[in-house]
Amino acid sequence: MAPAAAKRRDTLIKGNVSKLVHTFGSHWGRIRPSGESREVFFNPACLDDPESFDGMTVGQEVEFLEEMDRANDTRAVHVIAARSAAQGHRGVGSRQFRATIAHDLS
């Protein structure tokens, strides 16, 4: 793994959900990191709370880590809804994160 990729893997990234797909037997989406044009794959298993996937919306702010993925180049892991300073932040890896529904931006 290249040094730049290793650094990116350990850095919390902010972005927005850019695509959500809900089809029979397949649920996945893409996140666009803030200030970038690329998109990163994610699915329910990539969320700290997999059951919150159904409550996610396009445009919702999220935070995540990124890791290498053979099928998609990279994928988001430990995806959580971005929290305001008033809500507090327990840190990446905490299983106490709960994704919340963001206001519809459309």
Side-chain angles (χ1 to χ4, degrees):
M1 184 178 334
K7 181 179 178 187
R8 180 177 59 202
R9 181 179 190 166
D10 295 333
T11 303
L12 189 63
I13 302 168
K14 293 184 180 191
N16 295 82
V17 175
S18 58
K19 181 176 187 173
L20 288 170
V21 176
H22 298 273
T23 60
F24 182 73
S26 179
H27 302 306
W28 59 276
R30 300 248 181 228
I31 299 170
R32 178 165 291 147
S34 298
E36 298 185 32
S37 60
R38 68 188 181 95
E39 293 183 322
V40 180
F41 171 85
F42 78 105
N43 63 26
C46 298
L47 277 69
D48 277 355
D49 179 10
E51 293 179 12
S52 68
F53 186 87
D54 289 333
M56 297 189 92
T57 59
V58 171
Q60 180 175 359
E61 293 182 13
V62 294
E63 296 176 345
F64 62 98
L65 294 177
E66 190 173 19
E67 72 178 20
M68 301 307 292
D69 181 66
R70 245 188 301 174
N72 299 292
D73 188 29
T74 63
R75 70 178 176 151
V77 294
H78 294 293
V79 178
I80 58 168
R83 293 172 178 251
S84 68
Q87 290 176 306
H89 197 282
R90 295 178 189 249
V92 174
S94 169
R95 293 294 177 189
Q96 296 180 16
F97 282 119
R98 300 300 255 179
T100 57
I101 297 174
H103 293 289
D104 191 6
L105 301 176
S106 55

